[in-house]
Amino acid sequence: MACFGSIISDLLAIVVVVRKAVPSEGVSMTSRLCSRLLVRPTALLLTLLAAGGLPAEPPADGVWEANAALDKATTRTVEGLGAMQGVSFHDGKVYLYGDVWDAKPRVGVIREYTIDYQPTGRVVWLRRNDKPLLLHPTGLTWHERWGTFLGDTVNKKAVIYRFDWKRAWEDGNLDHAVLDIIDDDAAVNGCRPEFVTLEGKSYLATADYGDVHPEVRLYDPEKMLASKRTSAPGVVVHRILAGPFNQNLHWDADKGQLTCVQNVIAGRGWRLDVLDLAKAIADGRASGPGVRVRMLTFMPHDELEGYRPLEGGRGLFVTSSQKNNVVVGDVNVVAPRESRPEK
């Protein structure tokens, strides 16, 4: 009874601090599911035993109108990435990267796969000298002249890294691979770099998360690398007022189209906003006349993180979910329909 009384006393001492889900990038959906607890150890143990796990507060859900469907879809669960943050194709391989939020300490990772999504066994941990360097990788892109770039977004703060791709894979980490670190201080809410080409000149594009004046920006790579910060004079060449909740970008050089991979609301939903980049630059708005090629909003309510188009009108979608986080299917436009929260 004395022991039980001590537990009751501990329970009365519990102080629970709940951080509400907010539209900020750099906090994985899984992390957002966890309330921050300040408790005495015995009380925490009792709480966990009673509840069967940590208390959770997922991002607020909502209702939206969907106009696209993924038909003949196949799903698979890819493990070892924590909360997946994106997908890129390079030299005949598929690269998935994520925020391993449950590692101690938390750290980002890139894993290599074959074109049919089988692991090659190769991995790069985004740490340097045994300390995490990138926690929440966002946007992996390559350029023949400028090399490999990868964004990192933590608590809305954006940093862009340039690194030696070959050396990173040789070492399995970033101990000797980092070439440049750029403070993306022009960003409003995170970064997701993607190389694009406009009138024969290459730019490093990026976009903001959140819904407070989100932009797509085009940076001059040479000036950016020279200054090591994106707010320096001449680095930002073009700005486009964009749609909200941008998770990633995809550039179609043949069509001159930039796809903004988005959530529909903060932390939830699948949306692809496809823009004619030249027209977007000329107008300065994604919503300008003739700028938006199409906007596809899908039914799912989990958190879309990355997308790449495949042949035959199919698409590859990756989410931060722990299961069924890689989805491939036929992308089709459908009659508008209501998408409600999943029960």
Side-chain angles (χ1 to χ4, degrees):
M1 290 297 293
C3 178
F4 182 74
S6 176
I7 292 175
I8 294 299
S9 176
D10 280 338
L11 283 173
L12 294 175
I14 294 176
V15 178
V16 181
V17 179
V18 179
R19 185 180 67 181
K20 299 289 185 181
V22 296
S24 69
E25 178 64 9
V27 182
S28 70
M29 184 175 184
T30 309
S31 297
R32 286 196 295 262
L33 295 180
C34 296
S35 303
R36 270 40 179 182
L37 300 180
L38 298 177
V39 297
R40 292 175 64 178
T42 307
L44 174 60
L45 177 60
L46 185 62
T47 303
L48 293 178
L49 289 174
L54 287 173
E57 186 184 20
D61 211 336
V63 179
W64 57 76
E65 185 176 87
N67 67 343
L70 207 58
D71 297 326
K72 300 179 181 178
T74 60
T75 62
R76 68 183 67 226
T77 298
V78 178
E79 299 179 339
L81 291 158
M84 200 179 331
Q85 295 301 305
V87 54
S88 293
F89 298 160
H90 186 63
D91 288 343
K93 294 292 192 298
V94 178
Y95 294 95
L96 301 176
Y97 49 94
D99 174 345
V100 189
W101 54 272
D102 56 350
K104 299 187 183 302
R106 172 188 176 193
V107 66
V109 68
I110 306 173
R111 294 185 183 274
E112 184 183 75
Y113 302 83
T114 64
I115 57 173
D116 57 350
Y117 314 110
Q118 297 303 310
T120 67
R122 299 214 303 164
V123 57
V124 173
W125 289 99
L126 302 176
R127 58 170 69 105
R128 183 168 62 177
N129 300 326
D130 293 326
K131 295 182 179 180
L133 186 62
L134 286 84
L135 303 183
H136 194 83
T138 49
L140 175 61
T141 188
W142 297 264
H143 188 273
E144 289 183 359
R145 176 183 176 187
W146 302 112
T148 304
F149 289 74
L150 178 63
D152 187 37
T153 298
V154 179
N155 296 328
K156 302 184 183 182
K157 175 63 178 175
V159 180
I160 299 173
Y161 293 84
R162 184 170 79 98
F163 63 97
D164 185 323
W165 182 248
K166 182 179 179 181
R167 185 61 189 266
W169 288 100
E170 289 174 351
D171 296 344
N173 54 52
L174 300 181
D175 285 0
H176 308 288
V178 177
L179 303 175
D180 292 284
I181 301 176
I182 299 99
D183 181 1
D184 190 7
D185 54 350
V188 176
N189 192 333
C191 66
R192 44 224 23 99
E194 175 82 345
F195 274 104
V196 303
T197 305
L198 190 66
E199 297 180 347
K201 181 173 176 57
S202 295
Y203 299 95
L204 188 68
T206 186
D208 298 310
Y209 199 76
D211 55 358
V212 180
H213 199 78
E215 294 181 329
V216 170
R217 288 175 301 281
L218 271 58
Y219 298 151
D220 182 309
E222 187 170 12
K223 293 181 179 179
M224 182 186 72
L225 290 172
S227 63
K228 299 294 190 294
R229 61 187 180 92
T230 57
S231 65
V235 174
V236 180
V237 182
H238 299 290
R239 295 178 184 269
I240 304 163
L241 186 61
F245 309 122
N246 294 283
Q247 288 280 22
N248 230 305
L249 298 173
H250 170 68
W251 171 241
D252 186 327
D254 294 334
K255 297 180 180 179
Q257 295 175 357
L258 183 68
T259 298
C260 297
V261 183
Q262 301 171 338
N263 296 143
V264 181
I265 60 177
R268 290 188 180 274
W270 299 17
R271 173 172 285 164
L272 302 178
D273 195 6
V274 184
L275 311 177
D276 182 307
L277 184 59
K279 292 181 179 179
I281 292 298
D283 186 275
R285 299 171 299 162
S287 60
V291 172
R292 180 168 283 123
V293 178
R294 59 187 170 276
M295 177 185 282
L296 302 177
T297 303
F298 297 80
M299 295 290 287
H301 281 239
D302 54 351
E303 185 178 26
L304 180 65
E305 298 283 358
Y307 158 81
R308 284 296 183 268
L310 304 175
E311 293 182 353
R314 293 173 68 76
L316 166 63
F317 298 77
V318 302
T319 75
S320 61
S321 302
Q322 298 303 289
K323 295 182 178 180
N324 300 323
N325 50 10
V326 174
V327 185
V328 175
D330 295 338
V331 178
N332 291 314
V333 176
V334 298
R337 61 192 67 182
E338 189 178 75
S339 178
R340 290 192 157 276
E342 301 168 358
K343 296 181 179 180

